[in-house]
Amino acid sequence: MDDLVTERLVLHPLSVLEAERVAAGEPDPEDRWAPGYPAEGDMVGARRYLTTCAITGDPRPFGAYEIRRREDGRAIGGLGFHGAPDDDLRVTVGYGLVPSAHGKGYASEALRELLRFARARGVSAVLGDTDHDNTASQRVMTAAGMRLVGEDEHLKYYRISWADDRRAG
């Protein structure tokens, strides 16, 4: 599967071998990881992807992606789908960046590309959630076009939907 490329980033779909290295936090000599990568969230995402592969097979293109800066090829975070679309063609996403990459708009840029990619593959809606106190993540989802659709005592829930586009066509 090909990388997804934005103005400043490359979203590289992880292979099983790459995901195993990220999950273990043990780079191959050829891996170009920025300091702090992979963070705990990246390792959790890689383990989720590996579990999905073991149970139902590789969900790519709805798997895990490494976020790399185009300027130097360094991995600065991860994002991806929590699995293939469900019966209603919905997917859930997650993402994260190393602290040195925060505040530069990388997360919003990466998420916008992942949303564009999902929509182009027939996904009807993308869901995401974040802790109440994670205002940075809330800003990322809003900047990428997702909207707050609910909350509970632990999380705020976001969504973007294209179902209406299909009915209008």
Side-chain angles (χ1 to χ4, degrees):
M1 194 184 131
D2 294 334
D3 293 341
L4 305 177
V5 179
T6 70
E7 181 180 341
R8 300 178 299 159
L9 304 171
V10 173
L11 309 182
H12 174 72
L14 290 178
S15 69
V16 168
L17 290 175
E18 290 167 324
E20 287 172 344
R21 292 195 304 268
V22 171
E26 298 174 1
D28 185 78
E30 295 178 13
D31 289 329
R32 297 183 45 83
W33 291 356
Y37 181 80
E40 183 60 31
D42 300 308
M43 291 187 269
V44 168
R47 286 191 290 269
R48 177 185 290 119
Y49 168 67
L50 292 169
T51 299
T52 299
C53 288
I55 294 171
T56 61
D58 193 337
R60 284 189 288 173
F62 296 102
Y65 292 76
E66 195 170 67
I67 302 171
R68 300 175 178 171
R69 286 187 301 243
R70 286 182 64 182
E71 68 186 30
D72 62 5
R74 293 225 180 257
I76 57 170
L79 83 162
F81 302 98
H82 292 191
D86 66 15
D87 291 341
D88 294 320
L89 300 176
R90 297 176 303 201
V91 293
T92 301
V93 295
Y95 52 87
L97 295 173
V98 298
S100 64
H102 289 184
K104 296 175 174 65
Y106 292 142
S108 297
E109 184 175 330
L111 182 57
R112 274 193 297 274
E113 179 62 16
L114 203 65
L115 295 175
R116 183 205 62 75
F117 177 81
R119 184 178 187 186
R121 273 144 192 82
V123 168
S124 66
V126 176
L127 314 172
D129 60 63
T130 186
D131 295 331
H132 283 273
D133 61 351
N134 192 344
T135 56
S137 185
Q138 294 163 26
R139 284 193 301 267
V140 165
M141 285 189 274
T142 301
M146 299 176 80
R147 63 182 179 85
L148 180 66
V149 295
E151 59 185 273
D152 60 26
E153 63 275 6
H154 303 289
L155 299 171
K156 290 188 174 196
Y157 299 94
Y158 287 78
R159 175 186 180 111
I160 188 168
S161 176
W162 302 288
D164 290 340
D165 292 352
R166 291 187 219 310
R167 284 194 289 268

